[in-house]
Structure formats: structure tokens, C-alpha cells
Amino acid sequence: MGRSLDLRLMPLQQLLQQPAARLDRVLGVSLFGADAVPAPLRERGVPVVRVQAPVVGADGPVCEVWSSAPAVRCGRAAQAQWRATDELMFVSVDVDPQLPIEQAAAAAYRTLFDTVEAEGCPHLLRVWNHVGDINGEADGLERYRCFNIGRQQAFVERRRPVAGASVPAASAVGARADAPLLVYALAARQAPLALENPRQVSAYHYPADYGPRAPTFSRANLYGDDAPLLFVSGTASIVGHQTQHPGDVREQTRETLRNIAALADIARSARGVQLALGDLQFKVYLRAAADHAVVRDELARAAGPNAEVLFVQADICRRELRVEIEAFAWPGREHTCLC
Ligand code: 3EB
């Protein structure tokens, strides 16, 4: 267990040139900067999530490709598309674009829970949430805060804990203002081990200053026994529960990387996995594309010049935050750096 998932970053053109047998090993794809899902992928039944957020620093559409052993089951229901192996599942959820954001979040998570439970992979490892106009307001409350109410509501309804070791790793960032709520996830037959960051208050214990309902996610998840996968949640310049270095993108990047390094340390003490920043693959959300060079340079300093990184323009859930970084590591990933 645990060796059966990897993540490759590639231009969309390169994915489209892969032989069919290779595509059958693809569990799911998240596609950035494309206007539509290419027909060949749709026709082969590969779940493709089109994220309505532009790529920064690349010429054309870029995709993240999650691969595993050959998929044994796949399906498309009215509101979800998924592919699964015996052990792991990629699922993307469609939400009625007419629903207000709170109801959309609750509906998306209900569908997510229904789908993963029906397919025998009830444990959410990692969830990605893209909320259009995330800092805008709906009925006097920030849309991200409305999203948090609906998300937590679905967990409570389904008797899933909203705090502690079984909440998923996640990111929740912006998308084009008119984009419907997008939720996609990786789920597993067996439970992961959730990690919290000693430098930060657990997000599910944030005080009410950040909204009436706390966000439901863990700081990271480890999955697998001897050589586990590590999913690092979207991580920002937050210490305790407070934003650090408001408006200063360079210092925010450094603080964020200290948070991610602290999680790598916790993974080592939890399961003995030796991980340095240079062993991780990153996705960076930039509020402003103009910050790309500064963040790229800071990341290269910390993780090495060959670090694999996807930069995306997306708003972050607190207005003062300019950058958020998530990461993933898996056994067998080539080490690009020994730092
Ligand atoms: C933070 O640490 C930054 O609501 O699912 C990061 C990762 C953030 C996930 C979520 C929010 C979420 O609070 C924001």
C-alpha cells in the first residue's frame, strides 16, 4: 500500500500524446488554463477537472496527472465522475451552478461522501476546493466563510468528525468570479493519518474571528504504512491563527515554507519518513501573477532550483494573504535536490 500513486506535471499537449494504455493508468487530471476538456480524454473516461484559474509562467494549458495501477472501476453519475483502483479513488463533483455558495458547498460534500462511500473508499485523503470570487460577499458574509458553513454542515449531517484525526487535507482558493464551485478529491479504502502543525492552531479550531464555522481540514495527511504518501494542505503565512507579514509576498513565502518544513518534521516523527523540502512537488497559488518571480526565487532557495512547481493565479481565502502553497510527496519520486 502507498506505492501506487504518483503525480506528474505536464503540458496538456504532452498528455494528449500518451498512448491509450498509459491513459488507462490515469486516475484523474486537473487541468489549468484550458477553455475546454479535450474530447480524447473525455471519450476515454478519464476524469478531468477543468480549474478556472490561469497558469502563471507557462505558455499553454498545464495539467496535473494522478496515476496509479490500472483503474479497475470508473463511473459517471449525474453529479460525480470518478476512477478507482482497489485502493484509491479520484473523484470530481459537479454542483448546480445556481445554488448559493453555502448550499453549493453542502451539496458538493454530500455528493462527495455518497460517491466515495458507495465505491468503498470512504476516507478522504485530499480535497481541492475552488470558490469563485472567494473574497466577495454573499448576504453580508465573505463567500469563503459561507463555504465553510456549508462544508461543515455536510460533515455534521453525515456524522463525520469536524475536528481531529479524520478530517481531510485540503486547499480552498479562488477561481474565476463566475465559475461554479469546484470540488475534487482523492479518497482511499484505508484511513490516512492526519497531521497538525505545531506552529499553527488547527484550522478546525480557528476562533470565530475567521467566520461562524471553522474550516474542516487537517494540515497534512500521511497515507500508507512503510513508505507513505504525504499530502500537504494549502499552507500560508499563518502562525498560531494570525496572518504574518500582511502584504509582503517575500516574507509570506518564507513563513509558508517554514510551515511546510515543520510538517515534514512532524511526518518524520510520526512515521519516520525522511522528507526535505527538496523532496516535495508544489502547487503555488498567487493572488497576483506579478508576484511570480519573487515566490519562484524563494521556493528555489528553499527547495532547490529543480523543484517541480505549478504556479496558478487564484485568490486566497484571507485578503492579506498573497500566496498559498500546497505539496505532495510519494515514495519513489526522484530526488531533485539533496538539501
Ligand atoms: C489557512 O491555513 C489558509 O478551507 O480548506 C488552507 C488550506 C486554507 C485549506 C480550506 C484553507 C483551506 O487557513 C487557508
Side-chain angles (χ1 to χ4, degrees):
M1 183 168 92
R3 290 191 180 278
S4 54
L5 185 69
D6 71 45
L7 171 63
R8 304 284 157 187
L9 200 58
M10 62 181 80
L12 174 60
Q13 279 316 317
Q14 188 180 332
L15 178 63
L16 293 173
Q17 286 157 10
Q18 302 292 317
R22 170 76 180 82
L23 287 182
D24 290 342
R25 290 184 45 240
V26 173
L27 266 192
V29 174
S30 44
L31 178 55
F32 296 82
D35 298 332
V37 174
L41 296 177
R42 219 181 26 238
E43 284 155 15
R44 284 209 78 78
V46 181
V48 182
V49 176
R50 191 166 66 87
V51 181
Q52 302 213 31
V55 180
V56 178
D59 292 335
V62 174
C63 50
E64 293 181 303
V65 182
W66 294 95
S67 298
S68 186
V72 289
R73 293 163 300 142
C74 56
R76 185 172 234 316
Q79 285 170 319
Q81 188 181 11
W82 53 269
R83 254 191 185 186
T85 67
D86 286 338
E87 190 195 348
L88 289 166
M89 177 171 189
F90 180 100
V91 51
S92 125
V93 173
D94 299 318
V95 194
D96 177 354
Q98 307 298 333
L99 286 175
I101 185 64
E102 181 185 325
Q103 283 76 11
Y109 274 78
R110 281 187 212 110
T111 302
L112 185 58
F113 296 151
D114 288 347
T115 310
V116 297
E117 285 164 16
E119 299 305 324
C121 289
H123 302 284
L124 293 176
L125 302 178
R126 181 63 168 96
V127 187
W128 289 268
N129 307 278
H130 284 269
V131 181
D133 191 22
I134 191 168
N135 303 127
E137 286 196 357
D139 300 324
L141 192 63
E142 188 183 37
R143 282 167 56 81
Y144 174 61
R145 297 179 179 200
C146 300
F147 165 83
N148 277 325
I149 298 172
R151 171 170 57 179
Q152 197 190 86
Q153 175 62 32
F155 276 79
V156 170
E157 272 173 26
R158 298 304 168 91
R159 307 238 179 309
R160 286 180 177 245
V162 296
S166 78
V167 300
S171 302
V173 294
R176 229 173 60 187
D178 59 350
L181 175 66
L182 178 66
V183 175
Y184 65 101
L186 284 160
R189 181 172 300 278
Q190 311 230 12
L193 177 68
L195 307 179
E196 291 301 310
N197 187 340
R199 304 181 82 235
Q200 297 185 305
V201 172
S202 295
Y204 46 72
H205 287 148
Y206 279 169
D209 322 14
Y210 303 99
R213 291 284 178 275
T216 310
F217 70 96
S218 67
R219 297 299 182 184
N221 254 334
L222 274 175
Y223 178 72
D225 291 331
D226 14 287
L229 312 172
L230 174 66
F231 298 91
V232 176
S233 288
T235 305
S237 176
I238 295 173
V239 176
H241 58 73
Q242 275 158 339
T243 304
Q244 309 292 306
H245 325 292
D248 182 337
V249 71
R250 186 179 300 277
E251 287 303 322
Q252 285 194 10
T253 306
R254 290 180 177 168
E255 199 72 67
T256 300
L257 291 167
R258 284 193 284 274
N259 278 330
I260 294 177
L263 284 166
D265 281 347
I266 292 295
R268 186 176 315 130
S269 38
R271 285 278 166 83
V273 265
Q274 295 287 337
L275 283 173
L277 287 179
D279 301 318
L280 301 176
Q281 182 161 330
F282 299 93
K283 182 156 74 198
V284 176
Y285 302 101
L286 298 170
R287 182 181 291 279
D291 290 339
H292 177 220
V294 171
V295 178
R296 185 193 56 206
D297 291 350
E298 288 301 325
L299 194 52
R301 249 163 52 115
N306 298 322
E308 260 195 284
V309 193
L310 171 59
F311 289 92
V312 173
Q313 193 281 312
D315 289 342
I316 320 291
C317 64
R318 295 185 187 183
R319 281 172 190 279
E320 328 79 73
L321 288 172
R322 300 187 67 92
V323 61
E324 180 173 313
I325 304 179
E326 64 182 45
F328 175 60
W330 67 96
R333 180 173 186 273
E334 307 95 87
H335 290 217
T336 51
C337 161
L338 296 174
C339 47

